[in-house]
Amino acid sequence: MHGIPRKAPTQEELDDSSLKAAKLRDLQSQLLHFHHNKIYTEEAIQISAKLLESNPEHYTAWNYRKLAVQHLLNRHHENQLDSQSPQSILDDELILVENALKTNFKAYGAWHHRKWVLSKGHSSSDRELRLLGKFQKLDSRNFHAWNYRRFITELKKIPDEDELQYTTDMIYDNFSNYSAWHNRSMLLSKLLEKSAKGYEKRENVLSEEFEFVRNALFTDPDDQSGWFYHSWLLGQTLKREPLLISSSPPHGSNLSLSIDKPDRERTFPLILYFSEAVEGVSSSTVNVEYFYDGGDGLIWYPLSANKLGFSQAWLTYIEYPLDTLESFDVKVTIAQFPGIISSNGMPCSRSCYIYFTASVCSNNQEKSEVQTTHKISWNEENFKPHSTHPEDANLLASLCKLDIAKENNPTTPMLCMETISNEIACSRELLSSSNCKIGKLTLARLLVAHNTLITYGCMDSGTEAHYEEILALYHDLMKMDPAHIGYYEDEYSLVLMKQLTSNTESLLKLCGKYQELSSPSISSYTSVRLKVLSLSRVSCLEHLLWVQMLDLSHNKLRSIEGLEALQQLSCLKLSNNRLSSFTALEPLKMLNSLQVLDVSYNEIGAHSIDTRRYMCSSPLNSATGFGWQLKRFTDEDADLKRFWDAYLLFRDLNLVQLDIVGNAVVDERLKAFLIKLMSALKWFDGESCH
Amino acid sequence: MARENLMKGTTSQEDQWMVQNQCFRLYDIVYRLPPQAQSINFEVLRENHIEYLTDSLKQLGRNFQVLDANRPWFCYWIIQSIALLGDCVDDKLENGFIDFLSRCQDQDGGYGGGPGQMPHLATTYAAVNALITVGGQNSLSSINREKLYDFLLRMKDASGGFRMHDGGEVDVRACYTAISVASVLNILDDRLIQNVGDYIVRFTEDIHVATFYSCQTYEGGIAGEPCSEAHGGYTFCGLAAMVLINEADRLNLPGLLNWVVFRQGIEGGFQGRTNKLVDGCYSFWQGAVAAIIQRLHVMVNKQLGLPDTFELDCSTESGNESSDNDGEEVSEGSSSPVDISEPTKGESLSTSAAMGLNNGYDFIRRPTGMKPLFNSMALQQYILLCTQEEAGFRDKPGKRRDHYHTCYVLSGLSVCQHCNKRDADSPPLSRDVMGPYSNLVEPVHPLHNIVLDKYYEAYNFFARA
């Protein structure tokens, strides 16, 4: 605050400090003189000590000391009569460092000098640990001291177990000391990794650690340190292998294939969907057996708009023969240790399989092209939910197999499940008497972890997923901590989508058919509605791989990453979301069947710093490698420059209907541009294009 | 650990509560004032600060005996603060300044903490930055670049990192100061760069455990040396060094981002480490980390597995949302031939890149790809109301002003004011500057913490040299 007069130093203080300064300056100039002239007399060495005791930051003086020590040691070596013993020479250095640290225990030079002395083989671990004990008591967060401690531990080969005990003591002394927690995480990682005695059983060790940290959390739930350690611990507990969790066609299903197709189109897509993004899916890691082929030649594509090689969903096309009307079985096997690896480095280590039957028939029940004489209105009144017809549950069961995971997958160790359940119970108890933000977040994460472990199959059949509780927690967090609302919204979305799609009953509530007289072709589509749910992102699409018509309108979507997996999708409604650029729609380019798209009332072009435009540089500046076909546009060069991001998206889509009204970017010029670009387009913003 | 302590809190917590209450009380007092009186409190007291800084420069030496091994730092902190406030020193002071730093320059390259002292990387960094900030032919040509290059090579350690000085310690700070100096003087080459990245992201093999430990910890921030705890100052050093050697993609950037945003506390300022108190100087160390990541959007998105073009929407103020839609900016943001010509800046770069590595220049010319990643207004509020004294800036309420904090608080203020714009060179919108627009301080190059105009001057000077 201003206006509070600064207390001027008294004359006495000024005199005192200038006297000190003068003294110090004198010491310094003497030292520099000795240093430059390589004078290592006893008197000179004492002066350097005086200087360093009052100014431990004087690194030139520390170097002078090193040279002096070397000089004295050499003298001793040469058997000079008056020489000191190496012991006492080095002892002097240790004492000096200790004195210097008393003046300023954050001086780099002093700590470094001590390391130098130690590396000469002097001093004992006891002596060093005692010194450290003193300084770490004075300032338990001093990172110089912690660094020095790790140095000593390494040098003197002090067992990690002892050091772990030291962190235990430090934490008991003051559990808000995050530096101690940090060192504990380093030590525990080491011990677990080398399976030291007593640390062979990872689950047991982690379970005990949870109990340890819980004590701290209970003592004071508002202190952050324990929570951060807890979150690290949870991460360690949840390191699990990726799983194959669903497929299209689904496990155990009957697939009808059309015989009426021309030869080159006699293929059907096969999609594998994993519990997390993986790499390494190929014909050598996935074996596809069907009646005449081992699937050796199959090429697998990651269904992800990013080019990293990691994807949750993988696609291949299977060719079926011309001359058979019989049905045939397809078995897809992921062999043990096949080289499929998640982005955090965990390999798929269990063998698992899916099978389904394909039959070729002339009566084509396959998906039909959207009829284009009438537009799709997404009319609410025409929507007939499946939930009113219980028999539709059977239909749904044929579309997706909800429990593929359970047949194939490894079971979670009971102890791990117990640990998490126990942590959940304790966190709930804790929150009953406290309303802390980080506690709520931890409980939400624990409950999510619990759900994940259930997916991995658990012997304990009594366990249930806690969706409602997690959603309520994230809801609270959004209100309590609006600064991080984006994060909470994303987490909320993940859980909500999981909840809505995880079982037949809830999934059925989302399904229905549009019975629109105007376009009878879509009446055969089963449509899924995920609207007005406040979703900010999409995920958990494993049970939606069959969807042809999807309504995601009136959410808060900023990204549609993940939708790439829905290869059957023909009609997609994304209106009234927060999509802010054409490039955010990139995943749509991988949806080969997409014909009807509604992105009206989003925020495309509405942001002041529309930096997304710059992330990929304008293709006009890098003419090579872009495959530009400028022929059609030579006259409208200006338009192309202006709408190149729209061009890059829409040239790859084969839309018959597009709704884009209500975005800041839309004007007559863009409309004309898009209509010209997409020759198949029949309906634009509700009006016929022709 | 007894339950009955519940109401007492831990030591860290009691300290935290005290600071928090002091800050909130200040906010409360100001926000209860009538609007007119309120606005005065949000003003940067430019004249007072300049007077404080200029006076200190004149009597440099008095009262600073402890920092006798750090005198170039004082020069840098003061001159940088003055430059941020848009002022400069008179010719006499300027010449004295150049003369003093020349006497700190070692005959075999590098700058020491004072005349006659050994050259040291940190003081070399301070001296070089100070001389660039003074600017002009005399100042810039006083740096012996050939010798300095030799010095840097001599400080290179087998691990790939650098030593602070002959026989000194190796850490991330040394890596940064060496690389920053080399980059800004256009003497950065492959020999200097070699294995620096390995030092920062990965440590030599532990004998017992076949694991690599990195200076980047599991928390996401960067530590001073392998196995140590993540720390704001080192995180800045590590990230800036990695950007300057063009290896930032080796860091876990989403993890780093996650760590840094959670270091902004309830008072609005940043803490340096987990569960430590807020400190004004981290306005720069942590704020600049966030600002640097803003320009690494392509790498961040790549690591997140997002399409190239996804924008991390980190709008922190609801106020931002509404004004985002105003028409004037839409036309600015949307398409015009200017947009298309944007990457041509890259072309002029490639010519200059032929003369040496210019990742620092390239970096600042690149448009910002994300919105601010921290709450800029909250930090500005902390700076203006909690760290500003009638002259000079401080760590937090209850502490006394000093030159170090004055420099890094002002640098942090600059990062805040300039973080919501696309180009480094354009002025920010008035809504991004808390208080009157006259509070605006000069933009800095976030990798070097040098005022941008001065950086360009040096860049051109040393590109020719």
Side-chain angles (χ1 to χ4, degrees):
Chain A
M1 280 295 281
H2 323 310
I4 301 161
R6 164 164 300 281
K7 211 168 69 184
T10 63
Q11 192 54 44
E12 216 167 289
E13 281 170 338
L14 280 178
D15 288 348
D16 189 40
S17 81
S18 54
L19 199 70
K20 258 194 210 154
K23 218 173 115 191
L24 210 59
R25 237 172 264 289
D26 182 44
L27 284 173
Q28 179 179 268
S29 60
Q30 289 189 64
L31 175 106
L32 290 177
H33 171 74
F34 299 143
H35 180 54
H36 293 146
N37 297 294
K38 303 190 170 42
I39 296 169
Y40 305 116
T41 60
E42 205 182 318
E43 187 212 352
I45 291 173
Q46 262 170 20
I47 284 178
S48 71
K50 264 190 197 156
L51 175 64
L52 284 168
E53 276 165 9
S54 49
N55 182 7
E57 300 215 333
H58 210 298
Y59 60 90
T60 307
W62 286 118
N63 262 49
Y64 169 79
R65 292 293 293 198
K66 293 190 182 79
L67 294 168
V69 166
Q70 211 56 60
H71 174 81
L72 294 176
L73 289 175
N74 289 343
R75 272 171 57 88
H76 176 78
H77 198 65
E78 289 157 12
N79 291 318
Q80 300 271 354
L81 284 176
D82 57 337
S83 64
Q84 265 180 291
S85 74
Q87 286 294 358
S88 88
I89 296 169
L90 293 173
D91 248 1
D92 285 352
E93 297 307 300
L94 293 180
I95 292 164
L96 172 63
V97 169
E98 210 168 323
N99 289 337
L101 287 175
K102 277 179 199 153
T103 312
N104 176 2
F105 57 66
K106 290 181 177 175
Y108 286 90
W111 288 106
H112 186 68
H113 193 67
R114 199 169 185 93
K115 285 187 186 175
W116 182 78
V117 175
L118 266 285
S119 66
K120 295 218 160 278
H122 196 57
S123 190
S124 65
S125 17
D126 272 359
R127 178 172 179 174
E128 294 310 300
L129 292 181
R130 256 201 321 276
L131 173 88
L132 275 169
K134 214 156 61 184
F135 283 110
Q136 289 189 295
K137 198 158 202 146
L138 218 58
D139 177 3
S140 60
R141 301 287 318 258
N142 183 335
F143 66 80
H144 296 275
W146 282 102
N147 284 343
Y148 187 67
R149 188 168 193 100
R150 283 182 283 263
F151 168 80
I152 289 297
T153 314
E154 184 93 12
L155 188 74
K156 299 285 182 189
K157 310 248 179 300
I158 296 170
D160 291 334
E161 287 86 346
D162 293 3
E163 282 301 287
L164 196 72
Q165 182 57 44
Y166 178 74
T167 64
T168 310
D169 296 344
M170 286 295 268
I171 290 164
Y172 271 118
D173 188 46
N174 173 12
F175 60 82
S176 71
N177 179 358
Y178 185 71
S179 300
W181 290 107
H182 168 81
N183 209 33
R184 191 175 181 86
S185 70
M186 302 300 294
L187 292 163
L188 203 64
S189 301
K190 272 198 203 173
L191 288 166
L192 284 173
E193 199 148 344
K194 62 183 180 192
S195 284
K197 195 168 176 299
Y199 294 85
E200 301 94 339
K201 289 194 174 160
R202 192 181 174 85
E203 265 82 24
N204 290 351
V205 176
L206 293 175
S207 168
E208 280 167 25
E209 278 302 292
F210 270 116
E211 197 173 325
F212 178 73
V213 70
R214 195 188 309 131
N215 281 327
L217 298 179
F218 265 84
T219 313
D220 196 330
D222 287 323
D223 192 88
Q224 303 172 34
S225 295
W227 292 109
F228 278 98
Y229 185 73
H230 189 281
S231 143
W232 174 78
L233 212 49
L234 185 57
Q236 298 302 304
T237 313
L238 286 179
K239 269 193 184 166
R240 299 230 96 75
E241 61 196 283
L243 297 178
L244 174 65
I245 51 172
S246 101
S247 67
S248 165
H251 180 48
S253 66
N254 290 304
L255 175 72
S256 302
L257 301 166
S258 166
I259 198 162
D260 302 332
K261 285 195 169 180
D263 294 355
R264 61 188 164 78
E265 284 179 24
R266 284 165 158 261
T267 60
F268 65 90
L270 168 61
I271 297 168
L272 299 182
Y273 198 90
F274 293 85
S275 57
E276 57 191 301
V278 294
E279 68 172 353
V281 177
S282 72
S283 60
S284 58
T285 55
V286 178
N287 191 29
V288 184
E289 289 171 71
Y290 58 110
F291 73 121
Y292 77 107
D293 199 337
D296 287 348
L298 294 179
I299 298 170
W300 288 91
Y301 307 95
L303 279 174
S304 170
N306 74 64
K307 310 287 188 289
L308 289 178
F310 285 96
S311 177
Q312 261 192 293
W314 287 79
L315 167 73
T316 192
Y317 289 98
I318 292 185
E319 219 176 298
Y320 57 93
L322 304 165
D323 49 2
T324 181
L325 282 170
E326 291 166 35
S327 60
F328 58 95
D329 290 338
V330 181
K331 185 172 182 189
V332 183
T333 316
I334 293 180
Q336 208 157 357
F337 306 116
I340 295 177
I341 294 168
S342 74
S343 50
N344 65 18
M346 295 290 284
C348 246
S349 61
R350 303 251 179 162
S351 168
C352 73
Y353 65 91
I354 55 164
Y355 65 83
F356 55 89
T357 307
S359 25
V360 183
C361 48
S362 53
N363 183 14
N364 181 17
Q365 289 298 314
E366 262 195 290
K367 72 168 189 232
S368 50
E369 298 275 291
V370 175
Q371 205 200 47
T372 52
T373 46
H374 296 282
K375 65 175 196 283
I376 311 291
S377 66
W378 303 88
N379 196 332
E380 200 68 20
E381 289 164 16
N382 299 333
F383 187 79
K384 301 286 176 268
H386 280 342
S387 46
T388 53
H389 306 282
E391 63 272 23
D392 284 324
N394 296 330
L395 174 73
L396 189 64
S398 74
L399 290 171
C400 65
K401 178 89 175 166
L402 290 162
D403 51 359
I404 161 181
K406 286 182 188 144
E407 285 186 27
N408 276 314
N409 293 323
T411 50
T412 307
M414 274 306 290
L415 190 61
C416 185
M417 197 67 179
E418 264 173 35
T419 305
I420 298 289
S421 302
N422 202 7
E423 283 305 298
I424 290 173
C426 294
S427 302
R428 281 188 186 133
E429 192 193 330
L430 187 62
L431 287 171
S432 65
S433 62
S434 157
N435 199 32
C436 80
K437 185 175 91 181
I438 193 156
K440 278 183 195 269
L441 182 58
T442 302
L443 178 56
R445 285 173 175 172
L446 281 166
L447 292 166
V448 170
H450 183 262
N451 287 357
T452 311
L453 292 180
I454 293 176
T455 339
Y456 276 77
C458 187
M459 307 306 286
D460 182 2
S461 55
T463 47
E464 268 176 54
H466 310 276
Y467 295 112
E468 293 302 334
E469 189 178 354
I470 308 173
L471 293 174
L473 284 165
Y474 280 120
H475 213 266
D476 282 359
L477 284 164
M478 289 180 214
K479 277 192 223 148
M480 283 169 77
D481 183 19
H484 299 113
I485 192 162
Y487 174 80
Y488 300 130
E489 281 177 353
D490 280 0
E491 296 300 301
Y492 178 91
S493 303
L494 297 182
V495 176
L496 183 58
M497 281 206 65
K498 185 94 193 162
Q499 181 192 26
L500 293 173
T501 62
S502 60
N503 65 60
T504 315
E505 198 186 334
S506 59
L507 198 50
L508 260 183
K509 285 183 193 153
L510 307 171
C511 298
K513 280 186 171 43
Y514 282 98
Q515 288 168 349
E516 293 194 30
L517 293 172
S518 61
S519 56
S521 71
I522 69 154
S523 307
S524 66
Y525 285 10
T526 295
S527 174
V528 168
R529 296 203 303 179
L530 285 161
K531 55 194 280 190
V532 208
L533 292 167
S534 300
L535 298 174
S536 63
R537 57 185 282 195
V538 289
S539 66
C540 304
L541 297 167
E542 62 265 28
H543 298 139
L544 299 175
L545 298 177
W546 50 274
V547 172
Q548 293 170 307
M549 205 166 168
L550 177 63
D551 184 351
L552 281 165
S553 63
H554 296 273
N555 281 302
K556 297 173 177 174
L557 293 175
R558 289 180 282 252
S559 154
I560 53 165
E561 191 209 347
L563 278 187
E564 298 95 319
L566 308 188
Q567 289 292 304
Q568 315 277 342
L569 205 60
S570 283
C571 308
L572 175 62
K573 189 171 182 182
L574 291 168
S575 57
N576 295 88
N577 275 292
R578 294 181 183 166
L579 297 164
S580 59
S581 67
F582 286 121
T583 35
L585 297 172
E586 198 90 343
L588 299 181
K589 284 160 69 173
M590 303 189 87
L591 299 178
N592 297 324
S593 312
L594 190 68
Q595 291 182 288
V596 174
L597 174 66
D598 183 354
V599 288
S600 56
Y601 302 99
N602 272 279
E603 298 169 6
I604 302 172
H607 290 277
S608 56
I609 309 183
D610 192 7
T611 48
R612 289 140 297 206
R613 298 174 65 89
Y614 303 96
M615 293 187 183
C616 56
S617 60
S618 161
L620 296 184
N621 285 294
S622 50
T624 50
F626 236 99
W628 277 91
Q629 293 164 354
L630 290 165
K631 271 176 258 161
R632 270 159 69 201
F633 287 98
T634 39
D635 297 336
E636 294 92 4
D637 209 15
D639 276 350
L640 191 56
K641 276 184 181 174
R642 187 175 165 133
F643 302 123
W644 62 269
D645 47 356
Y647 174 82
L648 285 181
L649 174 70
F650 288 108
R651 67 162 180 179
D652 290 334
L653 301 182
N654 193 27
L655 299 180
V656 295
Q657 179 178 329
L658 173 66
D659 290 274
I660 195 174
V661 69
N663 285 287
V665 72
V666 178
D667 58 14
E668 287 304 316
R669 211 169 140 190
L670 177 66
K671 275 189 188 176
F673 178 79
L674 289 178
I675 289 169
K676 184 157 193 169
L677 177 64
M678 291 182 285
S679 49
L681 201 65
K682 299 280 194 298
W683 300 95
F684 191 99
D685 281 338
E687 286 168 26
S688 172
C689 298
H690 301 287
Chain B
M1 291 190 276
R3 188 95 214 228
E4 51 266 29
N5 284 340
L6 195 67
M7 296 317 292
K8 252 190 81 201
T10 59
T11 330
S12 327
Q13 239 184 299
E14 281 178 358
D15 293 345
Q16 171 64 28
W17 287 336
M18 215 161 77
V19 171
Q20 197 169 302
N21 286 342
Q22 273 172 316
C23 294
F24 290 161
R25 210 170 53 229
L26 288 176
Y27 296 150
D28 195 50
I29 293 170
V30 171
Y31 284 107
R32 276 165 196 271
L33 294 172
Q36 199 58 39
Q38 211 179 83
S39 67
I40 296 167
N41 284 280
F42 286 98
E43 272 174 39
V44 172
L45 304 171
R46 199 177 288 263
E47 303 308 321
N48 299 7
H49 299 315
I50 291 174
E51 194 187 325
Y52 159 63
L53 292 160
T54 318
D55 284 353
S56 339
L57 204 53
K58 283 178 188 154
Q59 50 166 328
L60 196 70
R62 205 169 173 187
N63 282 329
F64 303 132
Q65 65 272 38
V66 179
L67 287 155
D68 244 350
N70 281 337
R71 279 201 268 172
W73 275 114
F74 270 88
C75 297
Y76 168 61
W77 294 332
I78 294 171
I79 204 79
Q80 161 75 350
S81 303
I82 292 174
L84 279 163
L85 292 166
D87 207 349
C88 53
V89 294
D90 62 39
D91 287 354
K92 190 167 161 258
L93 261 177
E94 199 172 294
N95 290 332
F97 202 87
I98 299 168
D99 179 56
F100 172 73
L101 288 174
S102 297
R103 285 192 290 124
C104 295
Q105 188 166 213
D106 191 83
Q107 53 179 357
D108 293 323
Y111 291 79
Q117 296 184 33
M118 300 169 59
H120 187 285
L121 277 176
T123 43
T124 298
Y125 168 84
V128 167
N129 274 11
L131 288 166
I132 288 173
T133 307
V134 168
Q137 170 79 27
N138 277 348
S139 180
L140 296 177
S141 61
S142 75
I143 305 168
N144 188 336
R145 293 158 74 229
E146 288 74 25
K147 287 276 168 40
L148 183 53
Y149 176 79
D150 296 340
F151 167 63
L152 295 178
L153 265 191
R154 284 205 307 279
M155 294 306 111
K156 183 95 182 158
D157 182 68
S159 64
F162 286 85
R163 285 188 183 284
M164 288 311 292
H165 58 93
D166 191 18
E169 65 276 12
V170 180
D171 61 19
V172 171
R173 206 170 40 122
C175 294
Y176 167 67
T177 47
I179 294 294
S180 169
V181 162
S183 174
V184 80
L185 296 178
N186 197 22
I187 53 173
L188 186 59
D189 67 2
D190 291 344
R191 287 176 78 187
L192 292 175
I193 288 174
Q194 199 173 25
N195 299 336
V196 168
D198 289 345
Y199 178 79
I200 295 173
V201 296
R202 204 173 42 177
F203 181 48
T204 49
E205 218 164 331
D206 185 309
I207 309 146
H208 312 293
V209 196
T211 319
F212 289 97
Y213 288 115
S214 159
C215 289
Q216 184 170 26
T217 79
Y218 76 84
E219 285 191 273
I222 299 173
E225 51 189 89
C227 294
S228 191
E229 190 183 342
H231 179 288
Y234 290 112
T235 301
F236 169 81
C237 291
L239 175 64
M242 289 301 268
V243 173
L244 288 169
I245 63 171
N246 209 14
E247 294 180 23
D249 53 348
R250 295 177 63 186
L251 292 164
N252 173 356
L253 293 170
L256 182 56
L257 181 54
N258 185 61
W259 180 79
V260 78
V261 297
F262 282 100
R263 302 282 74 73
Q264 185 168 26
I266 190 164
E267 312 89 347
F270 278 100
Q271 64 184 182
R273 282 187 277 162
T274 298
N275 214 359
K276 296 265 285 179
L277 298 174
V278 64
D279 179 341
C281 74
Y282 291 109
S283 308
F284 178 76
W285 300 122
Q286 306 281 32
V289 166
I292 291 168
I293 297 176
Q294 269 183 277
R295 287 175 187 273
L296 299 178
H297 46 84
V298 176
M299 284 180 204
V300 174
N301 289 334
K302 207 177 151 203
Q303 291 189 3
L304 284 169
L306 300 177
D308 277 359
T309 43
F310 181 81
E311 188 202 29
L312 257 182
D313 189 353
C314 291
S315 59
T316 42
E317 276 105 11
S318 49
N320 266 357
E321 285 300 317
S322 57
S323 38
D324 268 339
N325 290 329
D326 79 49
E328 174 211 339
E329 286 147 61
V330 170
S331 61
E332 185 248 337
S334 65
S335 63
S336 71
V338 180
D339 293 346
I340 295 297
S341 69
E342 185 70 31
T344 55
K345 276 176 185 164
E347 283 163 29
S348 63
L349 270 183
S350 56
T351 39
S352 51
M355 296 180 288
L357 290 158
N358 282 297
N359 296 321
Y361 182 79
D362 194 357
F363 177 84
I364 197 69
R365 303 305 303 175
R366 204 182 294 161
T368 311
M370 293 177 186
K371 289 182 179 179
L373 299 169
F374 62 100
N375 192 332
S376 162
M377 282 301 150
L379 180 55
Q380 291 187 53
Q381 175 173 291
Y382 177 75
I383 289 174
L384 296 172
L385 300 181
C386 297
T387 70
Q388 186 171 221
E389 299 200 10
E390 78 269 32
F393 292 84
R394 64 190 171 193
D395 163 348
K396 60 173 82 54
K399 298 267 178 168
R400 297 183 75 168
R401 69 174 179 189
D402 59 47
H403 297 106
Y404 167 79
H405 282 94
T406 303
C407 170
Y408 287 105
V409 167
L410 277 171
S411 305
L413 182 63
S414 165
V415 168
C416 288
Q417 292 174 342
H418 296 274
C419 69
N420 196 17
K421 57 185 204 184
R422 211 189 66 208
D423 307 308
D425 300 333
S426 57
L429 299 172
S430 64
R431 68 159 196 243
D432 295 325
V433 178
M434 182 171 266
Y437 199 70
S438 60
N439 276 359
L440 190 64
V441 298
E442 296 295 310
V444 293
H445 191 308
L447 298 175
H448 302 290
N449 200 20
I450 297 173
V451 164
L452 209 48
D453 283 346
K454 302 293 186 178
Y455 171 81
Y456 287 143
E457 185 193 338
Y459 174 79
N460 289 323
F461 185 87
F462 294 118
R464 275 185 276 109

